[in-house]
Amino acid sequence: MYAIGGVGESEMFHEPGKIAGLLTKSTSESCASYNMLKLTKELYQYCPAPAYMDYYERAMTNHILSSCDHRPTSGSTYFLSMLPRAVKDFDASENSCCHGTGLESHFKYIESIYYTGEDCLYVNLFPSQLSLPGLALTMETEEDCPGKIRMTIQGDAPPFRTLRIRKPRWAEAPAVIRLNGADCPAPLLDGYFTLERDWQGTAELEVEFPCGLRYERAPDRPDFFTVHYGPYVLAALTTMEERLSIHPGIPEEVFSREAGRPLAFRHRDSGVLFIPLEKVWKEEYQVYLQEA
């Protein structure tokens, strides 16, 4: 699996953990992620493990969302290149499997956010709105800090007592949870922060997951790595023919926020701008970098 959650090179699965030698223009077929997400949903219903939703969030946010043309053409990607100087190729006319599933994928962002169990509601993805008999939930996030989540829960005959909020894989430090402005202890059980109460009336719930820059290294070449911010894989906007080589260092010390542009970071030494891959449109980009 590539860092964006996509799988396969040239429509073929390859040996697990072999990534660095398969960074080509024919990586991460859109159909494969479409079907992997369907499989993940089914597996989760048998076993509601947060690891399934960690994968789901990764692939949906960084591959499926990245595969859509930013214009209203119905265009979608076939492969998503991991080469240096890659450019997204959106196909709006070919009657292919990736175009067909690509049309479906962008109507499915409401899926797998919530699941219900016995007297329990699972919250897996952020943000959204939910309406159930006896309960309404509105969830908002800040674009520039996706770890800050605010939920407004209104209940008159709530169908559950237990609220379970997934701790994302990218949130490594403890979370801060407040209920109606006061700190609220919520034990972490099986990867979910768990709150039990009668949700009658209106409740304001704030969840702050630590959200920062981090690196993920290729399993077969530790000198190849990707840059992440919260759930997002960041792409380097560069026209370089060779792979961008930088010294990783401590992320917060080598990157600075780009003023006036949400979720944009500039590498101080190289001057290269990094933005979420899903925000890349016609620009040339790199995802996998090499350690200098």
Side-chain angles (χ1 to χ4, degrees), residues 233-265:
V233 174
L234 302 183
L237 302 184
T238 172
T239 60
M240 292 176 59
E241 295 279 0
E242 64 276 9
R243 193 169 304 283
L244 179 62
S245 179
I246 65 174
H247 186 272
I250 299 172
E252 286 73 16
E253 295 179 357
V254 297
F255 287 91
S256 58
R257 290 270 191 174
E258 186 75 356
R261 188 167 183 176
L263 298 173
F265 304 84

PDB file of all heavy atoms in Angstrom, residues 233-265:
ATOM      1  N   VAL A 233      -1.868  13.502   3.114  1.00  0.00           N
ATOM      2  CA  VAL A 233      -0.551  13.343   2.509  1.00  0.00           C
ATOM      3  C   VAL A 233      -0.258  14.615   1.731  1.00  0.00           C
ATOM      4  O   VAL A 233      -1.082  15.062   0.920  1.00  0.00           O
ATOM      5  CB  VAL A 233      -0.515  12.123   1.564  1.00  0.00           C
ATOM      6  CG1 VAL A 233       0.813  12.055   0.835  1.00  0.00           C
ATOM      7  CG2 VAL A 233      -0.755  10.837   2.343  1.00  0.00           C
ATOM      8  N   LEU A 234       0.907  15.213   1.989  1.00  0.00           N
ATOM      9  CA  LEU A 234       1.267  16.461   1.324  1.00  0.00           C
ATOM     10  C   LEU A 234       2.108  16.174   0.086  1.00  0.00           C
ATOM     11  O   LEU A 234       2.988  15.303   0.105  1.00  0.00           O
ATOM     12  CB  LEU A 234       2.045  17.368   2.278  1.00  0.00           C
ATOM     13  CG  LEU A 234       1.343  17.752   3.583  1.00  0.00           C
ATOM     14  CD1 LEU A 234       2.219  18.707   4.387  1.00  0.00           C
ATOM     15  CD2 LEU A 234      -0.022  18.383   3.318  1.00  0.00           C
ATOM     16  N   ALA A 235       1.826  16.902  -0.977  1.00  0.00           N
ATOM     17  CA  ALA A 235       2.582  16.781  -2.223  1.00  0.00           C
ATOM     18  C   ALA A 235       3.462  18.005  -2.388  1.00  0.00           C
ATOM     19  O   ALA A 235       3.048  19.138  -2.099  1.00  0.00           O
ATOM     20  CB  ALA A 235       1.630  16.661  -3.412  1.00  0.00           C
ATOM     21  N   ALA A 236       4.683  17.788  -2.851  1.00  0.00           N
ATOM     22  CA  ALA A 236       5.609  18.876  -3.131  1.00  0.00           C
ATOM     23  C   ALA A 236       5.345  19.385  -4.543  1.00  0.00           C
ATOM     24  O   ALA A 236       5.378  18.615  -5.507  1.00  0.00           O
ATOM     25  CB  ALA A 236       7.049  18.387  -3.008  1.00  0.00           C
ATOM     26  N   LEU A 237       5.063  20.676  -4.671  1.00  0.00           N
ATOM     27  CA  LEU A 237       4.820  21.270  -5.984  1.00  0.00           C
ATOM     28  C   LEU A 237       6.163  21.690  -6.578  1.00  0.00           C
ATOM     29  O   LEU A 237       6.738  22.712  -6.204  1.00  0.00           O
ATOM     30  CB  LEU A 237       3.885  22.474  -5.861  1.00  0.00           C
ATOM     31  CG  LEU A 237       2.509  22.198  -5.241  1.00  0.00           C
ATOM     32  CD1 LEU A 237       1.641  23.453  -5.270  1.00  0.00           C
ATOM     33  CD2 LEU A 237       1.804  21.048  -5.954  1.00  0.00           C
ATOM     34  N   THR A 238       6.670  20.867  -7.470  1.00  0.00           N
ATOM     35  CA  THR A 238       7.981  21.122  -8.058  1.00  0.00           C
ATOM     36  C   THR A 238       8.043  20.538  -9.458  1.00  0.00           C
ATOM     37  O   THR A 238       7.438  19.497  -9.728  1.00  0.00           O
ATOM     38  CB  THR A 238       9.106  20.529  -7.187  1.00  0.00           C
ATOM     39  OG1 THR A 238      10.351  20.631  -7.883  1.00  0.00           O
ATOM     40  CG2 THR A 238       8.856  19.069  -6.850  1.00  0.00           C
ATOM     41  N   THR A 239       8.782  21.215 -10.348  1.00  0.00           N
ATOM     42  CA  THR A 239       8.964  20.732 -11.716  1.00  0.00           C
ATOM     43  C   THR A 239      10.269  19.962 -11.868  1.00  0.00           C
ATOM     44  O   THR A 239      10.680  19.660 -12.991  1.00  0.00           O
ATOM     45  CB  THR A 239       8.950  21.916 -12.696  1.00  0.00           C
ATOM     46  OG1 THR A 239      10.013  22.819 -12.364  1.00  0.00           O
ATOM     47  CG2 THR A 239       7.618  22.660 -12.636  1.00  0.00           C
ATOM     48  N   MET A 240      10.913  19.608 -10.760  1.00  0.00           N
ATOM     49  CA  MET A 240      12.178  18.876 -10.824  1.00  0.00           C
ATOM     50  C   MET A 240      11.988  17.512 -11.478  1.00  0.00           C
ATOM     51  O   MET A 240      11.024  16.804 -11.182  1.00  0.00           O
ATOM     52  CB  MET A 240      12.752  18.694  -9.415  1.00  0.00           C
ATOM     53  CG  MET A 240      13.219  19.969  -8.742  1.00  0.00           C
ATOM     54  SD  MET A 240      13.772  19.659  -7.037  1.00  0.00           S
ATOM     55  CE  MET A 240      15.097  18.464  -7.314  1.00  0.00           C
ATOM     56  N   GLU A 241      12.910  17.148 -12.364  1.00  0.00           N
ATOM     57  CA  GLU A 241      12.857  15.842 -13.017  1.00  0.00           C
ATOM     58  C   GLU A 241      13.299  14.737 -12.065  1.00  0.00           C
ATOM     59  O   GLU A 241      12.785  13.620 -12.109  1.00  0.00           O
ATOM     60  CB  GLU A 241      13.771  15.836 -14.247  1.00  0.00           C
ATOM     61  CG  GLU A 241      13.352  16.784 -15.351  1.00  0.00           C
ATOM     62  CD  GLU A 241      12.248  16.210 -16.225  1.00  0.00           C
ATOM     63  OE1 GLU A 241      11.819  15.073 -15.951  1.00  0.00           O
ATOM     64  OE2 GLU A 241      11.834  16.906 -17.165  1.00  0.00           O
ATOM     65  N   GLU A 242      14.263  15.040 -11.185  1.00  0.00           N
ATOM     66  CA  GLU A 242      14.759  14.042 -10.247  1.00  0.00           C
ATOM     67  C   GLU A 242      13.947  14.139  -8.953  1.00  0.00           C
ATOM     68  O   GLU A 242      13.252  15.126  -8.695  1.00  0.00           O
ATOM     69  CB  GLU A 242      16.250  14.249  -9.971  1.00  0.00           C
ATOM     70  CG  GLU A 242      16.605  15.554  -9.272  1.00  0.00           C
ATOM     71  CD  GLU A 242      16.757  16.732 -10.204  1.00  0.00           C
ATOM     72  OE1 GLU A 242      16.418  16.589 -11.405  1.00  0.00           O
ATOM     73  OE2 GLU A 242      17.186  17.806  -9.737  1.00  0.00           O
ATOM     74  N   ARG A 243      14.073  13.104  -8.131  1.00  0.00           N
ATOM     75  CA  ARG A 243      13.335  13.092  -6.872  1.00  0.00           C
ATOM     76  C   ARG A 243      13.882  14.175  -5.944  1.00  0.00           C
ATOM     77  O   ARG A 243      15.094  14.332  -5.788  1.00  0.00           O
ATOM     78  CB  ARG A 243      13.448  11.709  -6.218  1.00  0.00           C
ATOM     79  CG  ARG A 243      12.453  11.514  -5.076  1.00  0.00           C
ATOM     80  CD  ARG A 243      12.410  10.057  -4.637  1.00  0.00           C
ATOM     81  NE  ARG A 243      12.090   9.160  -5.741  1.00  0.00           N
ATOM     82  CZ  ARG A 243      10.868   8.982  -6.236  1.00  0.00           C
ATOM     83  NH1 ARG A 243       9.847   9.638  -5.718  1.00  0.00           N
ATOM     84  NH2 ARG A 243      10.676   8.149  -7.242  1.00  0.00           N
ATOM     85  N   LEU A 244      12.970  14.924  -5.352  1.00  0.00           N
ATOM     86  CA  LEU A 244      13.353  15.993  -4.432  1.00  0.00           C
ATOM     87  C   LEU A 244      14.083  15.393  -3.236  1.00  0.00           C
ATOM     88  O   LEU A 244      13.586  14.475  -2.580  1.00  0.00           O
ATOM     89  CB  LEU A 244      12.109  16.754  -3.971  1.00  0.00           C
ATOM     90  CG  LEU A 244      12.328  17.901  -2.985  1.00  0.00           C
ATOM     91  CD1 LEU A 244      13.193  18.992  -3.593  1.00  0.00           C
ATOM     92  CD2 LEU A 244      10.972  18.472  -2.538  1.00  0.00           C
ATOM     93  N   SER A 245      15.257  15.905  -2.952  1.00  0.00           N
ATOM     94  CA  SER A 245      16.083  15.402  -1.864  1.00  0.00           C
ATOM     95  C   SER A 245      16.190  16.483  -0.796  1.00  0.00           C
ATOM     96  O   SER A 245      16.680  17.587  -1.070  1.00  0.00           O
ATOM     97  CB  SER A 245      17.475  15.035  -2.400  1.00  0.00           C
ATOM     98  OG  SER A 245      18.308  14.576  -1.362  1.00  0.00           O
ATOM     99  N   ILE A 246      15.712  16.184   0.402  1.00  0.00           N
ATOM    100  CA  ILE A 246      15.752  17.151   1.490  1.00  0.00           C
ATOM    101  C   ILE A 246      16.191  16.444   2.772  1.00  0.00           C
ATOM    102  O   ILE A 246      16.078  15.220   2.888  1.00  0.00           O
ATOM    103  CB  ILE A 246      14.391  17.851   1.721  1.00  0.00           C
ATOM    104  CG1 ILE A 246      13.335  16.845   2.178  1.00  0.00           C
ATOM    105  CG2 ILE A 246      13.932  18.592   0.484  1.00  0.00           C
ATOM    106  CD1 ILE A 246      12.002  17.494   2.564  1.00  0.00           C
ATOM    107  N   HIS A 247      16.668  17.226   3.711  1.00  0.00           N
ATOM    108  CA  HIS A 247      16.995  16.677   5.028  1.00  0.00           C
ATOM    109  C   HIS A 247      15.743  16.794   5.883  1.00  0.00           C
ATOM    110  O   HIS A 247      15.232  17.901   6.086  1.00  0.00           O
ATOM    111  CB  HIS A 247      18.154  17.444   5.661  1.00  0.00           C
ATOM    112  CG  HIS A 247      18.617  16.823   6.944  1.00  0.00           C
ATOM    113  ND1 HIS A 247      18.061  17.137   8.166  1.00  0.00           N
ATOM    114  CD2 HIS A 247      19.577  15.873   7.182  1.00  0.00           C
ATOM    115  CE1 HIS A 247      18.660  16.427   9.114  1.00  0.00           C
ATOM    116  NE2 HIS A 247      19.578  15.657   8.543  1.00  0.00           N
ATOM    117  N   PRO A 248      15.207  15.673   6.384  1.00  0.00           N
ATOM    118  CA  PRO A 248      13.914  15.740   7.080  1.00  0.00           C
ATOM    119  C   PRO A 248      13.936  16.646   8.312  1.00  0.00           C
ATOM    120  O   PRO A 248      13.115  17.553   8.439  1.00  0.00           O
ATOM    121  CB  PRO A 248      13.635  14.279   7.451  1.00  0.00           C
ATOM    122  CG  PRO A 248      14.461  13.483   6.518  1.00  0.00           C
ATOM    123  CD  PRO A 248      15.688  14.298   6.251  1.00  0.00           C
ATOM    124  N   GLY A 249      14.872  16.415   9.216  1.00  0.00           N
ATOM    125  CA  GLY A 249      14.884  17.208  10.436  1.00  0.00           C
ATOM    126  C   GLY A 249      13.585  17.078  11.206  1.00  0.00           C
ATOM    127  O   GLY A 249      12.758  16.199  10.964  1.00  0.00           O
ATOM    128  N   ILE A 250      13.377  17.967  12.151  1.00  0.00           N
ATOM    129  CA  ILE A 250      12.112  18.020  12.885  1.00  0.00           C
ATOM    130  C   ILE A 250      11.115  18.799  12.030  1.00  0.00           C
ATOM    131  O   ILE A 250      11.381  19.943  11.651  1.00  0.00           O
ATOM    132  CB  ILE A 250      12.307  18.690  14.256  1.00  0.00           C
ATOM    133  CG1 ILE A 250      13.304  17.879  15.101  1.00  0.00           C
ATOM    134  CG2 ILE A 250      10.970  18.835  14.991  1.00  0.00           C
ATOM    135  CD1 ILE A 250      13.708  18.551  16.397  1.00  0.00           C
ATOM    136  N   PRO A 251       9.968  18.195  11.680  1.00  0.00           N
ATOM    137  CA  PRO A 251       9.065  18.834  10.708  1.00  0.00           C
ATOM    138  C   PRO A 251       8.732  20.288  11.023  1.00  0.00           C
ATOM    139  O   PRO A 251       8.760  21.143  10.138  1.00  0.00           O
ATOM    140  CB  PRO A 251       7.823  17.943  10.755  1.00  0.00           C
ATOM    141  CG  PRO A 251       8.321  16.619  11.200  1.00  0.00           C
ATOM    142  CD  PRO A 251       9.454  16.899  12.136  1.00  0.00           C
ATOM    143  N   GLU A 252       8.422  20.584  12.290  1.00  0.00           N
ATOM    144  CA  GLU A 252       8.024  21.939  12.640  1.00  0.00           C
ATOM    145  C   GLU A 252       9.175  22.931  12.503  1.00  0.00           C
ATOM    146  O   GLU A 252       8.947  24.147  12.446  1.00  0.00           O
ATOM    147  CB  GLU A 252       7.479  21.984  14.072  1.00  0.00           C
ATOM    148  CG  GLU A 252       6.090  21.383  14.240  1.00  0.00           C
ATOM    149  CD  GLU A 252       6.080  19.858  14.146  1.00  0.00           C
ATOM    150  OE1 GLU A 252       7.177  19.254  14.251  1.00  0.00           O
ATOM    151  OE2 GLU A 252       4.996  19.282  13.962  1.00  0.00           O
ATOM    152  N   GLU A 253      10.412  22.431  12.447  1.00  0.00           N
ATOM    153  CA  GLU A 253      11.566  23.323  12.317  1.00  0.00           C
ATOM    154  C   GLU A 253      11.977  23.547  10.866  1.00  0.00           C
ATOM    155  O   GLU A 253      12.624  24.552  10.551  1.00  0.00           O
ATOM    156  CB  GLU A 253      12.756  22.772  13.110  1.00  0.00           C
ATOM    157  CG  GLU A 253      12.516  22.742  14.619  1.00  0.00           C
ATOM    158  CD  GLU A 253      13.701  22.179  15.381  1.00  0.00           C
ATOM    159  OE1 GLU A 253      14.686  21.755  14.737  1.00  0.00           O
ATOM    160  OE2 GLU A 253      13.638  22.145  16.630  1.00  0.00           O
ATOM    161  N   VAL A 254      11.643  22.617   9.971  1.00  0.00           N
ATOM    162  CA  VAL A 254      12.063  22.752   8.570  1.00  0.00           C
ATOM    163  C   VAL A 254      10.927  23.200   7.661  1.00  0.00           C
ATOM    164  O   VAL A 254      11.161  23.529   6.499  1.00  0.00           O
ATOM    165  CB  VAL A 254      12.675  21.431   8.048  1.00  0.00           C
ATOM    166  CG1 VAL A 254      13.928  21.079   8.825  1.00  0.00           C
ATOM    167  CG2 VAL A 254      11.681  20.294   8.097  1.00  0.00           C
ATOM    168  N   PHE A 255       9.690  23.219   8.170  1.00  0.00           N
ATOM    169  CA  PHE A 255       8.554  23.708   7.399  1.00  0.00           C
ATOM    170  C   PHE A 255       7.936  24.906   8.110  1.00  0.00           C
ATOM    171  O   PHE A 255       7.922  24.975   9.339  1.00  0.00           O
ATOM    172  CB  PHE A 255       7.476  22.627   7.255  1.00  0.00           C
ATOM    173  CG  PHE A 255       7.828  21.522   6.297  1.00  0.00           C
ATOM    174  CD1 PHE A 255       8.471  20.379   6.742  1.00  0.00           C
ATOM    175  CD2 PHE A 255       7.516  21.624   4.956  1.00  0.00           C
ATOM    176  CE1 PHE A 255       8.797  19.349   5.874  1.00  0.00           C
ATOM    177  CE2 PHE A 255       7.844  20.609   4.069  1.00  0.00           C
ATOM    178  CZ  PHE A 255       8.475  19.465   4.526  1.00  0.00           C
ATOM    179  N   SER A 256       7.386  25.828   7.335  1.00  0.00           N
ATOM    180  CA  SER A 256       6.638  26.949   7.897  1.00  0.00           C
ATOM    181  C   SER A 256       5.301  27.065   7.185  1.00  0.00           C
ATOM    182  O   SER A 256       5.168  26.685   6.016  1.00  0.00           O
ATOM    183  CB  SER A 256       7.428  28.255   7.750  1.00  0.00           C
ATOM    184  OG  SER A 256       7.721  28.520   6.389  1.00  0.00           O
ATOM    185  N   ARG A 257       4.300  27.564   7.888  1.00  0.00           N
ATOM    186  CA  ARG A 257       2.984  27.774   7.292  1.00  0.00           C
ATOM    187  C   ARG A 257       3.061  28.826   6.189  1.00  0.00           C
ATOM    188  O   ARG A 257       3.770  29.820   6.308  1.00  0.00           O
ATOM    189  CB  ARG A 257       2.001  28.247   8.363  1.00  0.00           C
ATOM    190  CG  ARG A 257       1.620  27.194   9.371  1.00  0.00           C
ATOM    191  CD  ARG A 257       0.407  26.425   8.907  1.00  0.00           C
ATOM    192  NE  ARG A 257      -0.128  25.590   9.961  1.00  0.00           N
ATOM    193  CZ  ARG A 257      -1.263  24.910   9.847  1.00  0.00           C
ATOM    194  NH1 ARG A 257      -1.958  24.978   8.738  1.00  0.00           N
ATOM    195  NH2 ARG A 257      -1.693  24.156  10.839  1.00  0.00           N
ATOM    196  N   GLU A 258       2.325  28.608   5.119  1.00  0.00           N
ATOM    197  CA  GLU A 258       2.225  29.571   4.039  1.00  0.00           C
ATOM    198  C   GLU A 258       1.073  30.522   4.361  1.00  0.00           C
ATOM    199  O   GLU A 258      -0.092  30.106   4.444  1.00  0.00           O
ATOM    200  CB  GLU A 258       1.976  28.860   2.707  1.00  0.00           C
ATOM    201  CG  GLU A 258       1.999  29.760   1.498  1.00  0.00           C
ATOM    202  CD  GLU A 258       3.406  30.179   1.096  1.00  0.00           C
ATOM    203  OE1 GLU A 258       4.382  29.833   1.797  1.00  0.00           O
ATOM    204  OE2 GLU A 258       3.532  30.845   0.049  1.00  0.00           O
ATOM    205  N   ALA A 259       1.393  31.777   4.571  1.00  0.00           N
ATOM    206  CA  ALA A 259       0.390  32.764   4.980  1.00  0.00           C
ATOM    207  C   ALA A 259      -0.719  32.882   3.942  1.00  0.00           C
ATOM    208  O   ALA A 259      -0.464  32.928   2.734  1.00  0.00           O
ATOM    209  CB  ALA A 259       1.051  34.121   5.191  1.00  0.00           C
ATOM    210  N   GLY A 260      -1.963  32.891   4.436  1.00  0.00           N
ATOM    211  CA  GLY A 260      -3.113  33.100   3.570  1.00  0.00           C
ATOM    212  C   GLY A 260      -3.544  31.900   2.766  1.00  0.00           C
ATOM    213  O   GLY A 260      -4.446  32.010   1.921  1.00  0.00           O
ATOM    214  N   ARG A 261      -2.931  30.737   3.003  1.00  0.00           N
ATOM    215  CA  ARG A 261      -3.290  29.537   2.236  1.00  0.00           C
ATOM    216  C   ARG A 261      -3.447  28.371   3.198  1.00  0.00           C
ATOM    217  O   ARG A 261      -2.453  27.874   3.735  1.00  0.00           O
ATOM    218  CB  ARG A 261      -2.230  29.227   1.190  1.00  0.00           C
ATOM    219  CG  ARG A 261      -2.615  28.111   0.231  1.00  0.00           C
ATOM    220  CD  ARG A 261      -1.676  28.067  -0.957  1.00  0.00           C
ATOM    221  NE  ARG A 261      -2.087  27.043  -1.910  1.00  0.00           N
ATOM    222  CZ  ARG A 261      -1.500  26.826  -3.070  1.00  0.00           C
ATOM    223  NH1 ARG A 261      -0.470  27.578  -3.429  1.00  0.00           N
ATOM    224  NH2 ARG A 261      -1.942  25.875  -3.885  1.00  0.00           N
ATOM    225  N   PRO A 262      -4.675  27.914   3.441  1.00  0.00           N
ATOM    226  CA  PRO A 262      -4.875  26.821   4.400  1.00  0.00           C
ATOM    227  C   PRO A 262      -4.155  25.549   3.969  1.00  0.00           C
ATOM    228  O   PRO A 262      -4.073  25.230   2.778  1.00  0.00           O
ATOM    229  CB  PRO A 262      -6.403  26.622   4.388  1.00  0.00           C
ATOM    230  CG  PRO A 262      -6.962  27.888   3.847  1.00  0.00           C
ATOM    231  CD  PRO A 262      -5.940  28.402   2.878  1.00  0.00           C
ATOM    232  N   LEU A 263      -3.636  24.836   4.943  1.00  0.00           N
ATOM    233  CA  LEU A 263      -3.021  23.523   4.734  1.00  0.00           C
ATOM    234  C   LEU A 263      -1.846  23.567   3.759  1.00  0.00           C
ATOM    235  O   LEU A 263      -1.569  22.589   3.056  1.00  0.00           O
ATOM    236  CB  LEU A 263      -4.067  22.509   4.246  1.00  0.00           C
ATOM    237  CG  LEU A 263      -5.233  22.233   5.209  1.00  0.00           C
ATOM    238  CD1 LEU A 263      -6.280  21.359   4.540  1.00  0.00           C
ATOM    239  CD2 LEU A 263      -4.736  21.576   6.492  1.00  0.00           C
ATOM    240  N   ALA A 264      -1.154  24.701   3.715  1.00  0.00           N
ATOM    241  CA  ALA A 264       0.007  24.831   2.842  1.00  0.00           C
ATOM    242  C   ALA A 264       1.243  25.093   3.698  1.00  0.00           C
ATOM    243  O   ALA A 264       1.207  25.890   4.634  1.00  0.00           O
ATOM    244  CB  ALA A 264      -0.198  25.960   1.837  1.00  0.00           C
ATOM    245  N   PHE A 265       2.333  24.419   3.353  1.00  0.00           N
ATOM    246  CA  PHE A 265       3.565  24.498   4.123  1.00  0.00           C
ATOM    247  C   PHE A 265       4.737  24.662   3.160  1.00  0.00           C
ATOM    248  O   PHE A 265       4.790  24.005   2.120  1.00  0.00           O
ATOM    249  CB  PHE A 265       3.768  23.235   4.962  1.00  0.00           C
ATOM    250  CG  PHE A 265       2.631  22.923   5.888  1.00  0.00           C
ATOM    251  CD1 PHE A 265       1.508  22.218   5.430  1.00  0.00           C
ATOM    252  CD2 PHE A 265       2.653  23.336   7.206  1.00  0.00           C
ATOM    253  CE1 PHE A 265       0.452  21.928   6.279  1.00  0.00           C
ATOM    254  CE2 PHE A 265       1.608  23.057   8.065  1.00  0.00           C
ATOM    255  CZ  PHE A 265       0.504  22.355   7.597  1.00  0.00           C
TER     256      PHE A 265
END
